[in-house]
Amino acid sequence: GNAVNAANVAIGKDNTANMGSTQIKGSEVKGATVNVGNAVNAANVAIGQGNEANLGSTQIQDSKVKGAVVNVGNTFGAANVAIGKDNTANMGSTQIKGSDVQGATVNVGNVAGAANVAIGQGNEANMGATQIKDSSVKGAVVNIGNVAGGANVAIGKDTTANMGSTQIKGSEVKGAVVNNGNIAGAANVAIGQNSSANLGSVQMKDSTLKGAAVNQANVGAAANVAIGKGSDANLGAIQMKDATVKGAVVNQANVGAAANLAVGRNSNANLGAVQVKDATVKGALVNQANVGAAANVALGSGSSANMGAIQMKDTTTGGTIVNAGTVGMSANIAIGGGTSNSASISSD
């Protein structure tokens, strides 16, 4: 789908607005699903309750796909907005919910001068990202997100904002998870309790991965912010919570002129770092991060700020642990009974 100087709008309850996108719900597909969406100077808007706004994206819900899922989204000078309760805004992204995919999942999102916004409770905003929830994937999961001059914002309780990232929640993946995020001049913001903001990162929660998890991120002139109790802010990082991984976990990040901020009780801010909590990893843990001119801040009781570091909490590992974190011209701060780790390995 090609959209130039176009507007796609849905207003009311349970709305869906799709532009240059593929959406599959309650269906069975035997064969590959391929979407190529090019959007220039376009607006995609859904306003109300239970809205979905998709621009240059692939969205699969409550479906079964026997074949590869491929999405290529090129978005320039565009706005993708969902306002209300339980909204979803996807731009240059692949989102899989409550589905079974037997094949590789590949997303390539190229975003420049764009805004992706979800406002309200239970919102999700994905830009140049892959998000998998309550699903089973038998095959590799690959996300390549190139973002320049972009804003990705989710505001409200239980919000999620993913930019140039891969997020897996309550799912099982049998295959490698690879995320490559190249981000410049971008802002990724999640505001609200239990919010998550991921920029050039891999985040896994309540999931099982039978394969390696690899994140390669190049981040410059970017801001990643999560505000609220239990919030998570990940920039050029890998974060695993209540997860089981049967394979290596490798993070390679180059971060310069960046700010990563988590504010609230039990909040987490990870920059060029690997954080593993309440998890089992049967493989090596490797972090190779070069951080310069960056600030990593966690404010609140029980908060953690990790930069160029590996942090393990209540975790079992069965392989080598290697941290090659180089940090210069940077500030790594935890305030309010929190923990701050820089170019280090910590375990408790």
Side-chain angles (χ1 to χ4, degrees):
N2 298 308
V4 181
N5 298 326
N8 190 42
V9 182
I11 299 176
K13 185 178 179 181
D14 299 326
N15 296 306
T16 300
N18 294 311
M19 182 182 293
S21 300
T22 295
Q23 186 182 51
I24 300 172
K25 284 187 172 183
S27 302
E28 183 173 350
V29 179
K30 294 182 180 180
T33 300
V34 181
N35 180 71
V36 179
N38 300 306
V40 180
N41 297 330
N44 191 45
V45 182
I47 300 176
Q49 183 176 344
N51 294 309
E52 295 170 349
N54 299 306
L55 196 159
S57 299
T58 295
Q59 185 186 51
I60 300 174
Q61 291 189 37
D62 305 318
S63 298
K64 191 172 184 178
V65 179
K66 290 184 178 180
V69 175
V70 181
N71 183 74
V72 180
N74 300 306
T75 307
F76 305 97
N80 191 43
V81 182
I83 299 176
K85 184 179 179 182
D86 298 325
N87 296 306
T88 299
N90 296 310
M91 180 184 293
S93 299
T94 295
Q95 185 185 51
I96 300 173
K97 288 183 173 183
S99 298
D100 184 1
V101 178
Q102 296 181 15
T105 299
V106 181
N107 183 73
V108 180
N110 300 307
V111 180
N116 190 45
V117 182
I119 299 176
Q121 184 175 343
N123 291 312
E124 296 169 345
N126 298 305
M127 179 186 292
T130 295
Q131 184 187 49
I132 300 173
K133 294 178 70 176
D134 306 318
S135 299
S136 175
V137 178
K138 294 181 180 178
V141 176
V142 181
N143 183 72
I144 300 174
N146 300 307
V147 181
N152 191 45
V153 182
I155 300 176
K157 184 180 178 182
D158 299 322
T159 58
T160 300
N162 296 310
M163 180 186 290
S165 299
T166 298
Q167 184 187 49
I168 301 172
K169 298 171 77 174
S171 299
E172 182 179 4
V173 178
K174 293 182 179 179
V177 172
V178 180
N179 185 74
N180 187 318
N182 300 300
I183 298 149
N188 190 46
V189 182
I191 300 176
Q193 185 175 343
N194 297 325
S195 60
S196 293
N198 298 305
L199 181 69
S201 299
V202 172
Q203 184 187 49
M204 287 185 62
K205 290 183 176 182
D206 306 313
S207 298
T208 299
L209 170 63
K210 294 182 179 179
V214 180
N215 184 59
Q216 298 172 314
N218 298 304
V219 181
N224 191 46
V225 181
I227 300 176
K229 181 182 177 181
S231 60
D232 294 309
N234 297 305
L235 194 159
I238 292 179
Q239 183 189 47
M240 296 189 171
K241 289 178 160 184
D242 300 310
T244 299
V245 180
K246 295 182 179 179
V249 175
V250 182
N251 185 61
Q252 298 173 315
N254 298 304
V255 181
N260 192 44
L261 175 66
V263 180
R265 185 178 178 183
N266 296 326
S267 60
N268 297 287
N270 298 305
L271 194 158
V274 174
Q275 184 187 48
V276 185
K277 300 176 75 174
D278 301 312
T280 300
V281 179
K282 297 180 179 179
L285 267 177
V286 181
N287 185 58
Q288 297 172 314
N290 300 305
V291 181
N296 190 45
V297 182
L299 304 176
S301 174
S303 62
S304 295
N306 299 301
M307 180 162 55
I310 294 177
Q311 183 188 46
M312 295 175 292
K313 286 188 174 183
D314 302 317
T315 294
T316 301
T317 59
T320 305
I321 300 173
V322 179
N323 184 61
T326 302
V327 178
M329 298 287 292
S330 303
N332 191 46
I333 302 170
I335 299 176
T339 301
S340 175
N341 299 307
S342 178
S344 63
I345 297 175
S346 68
S347 177
D348 57 65

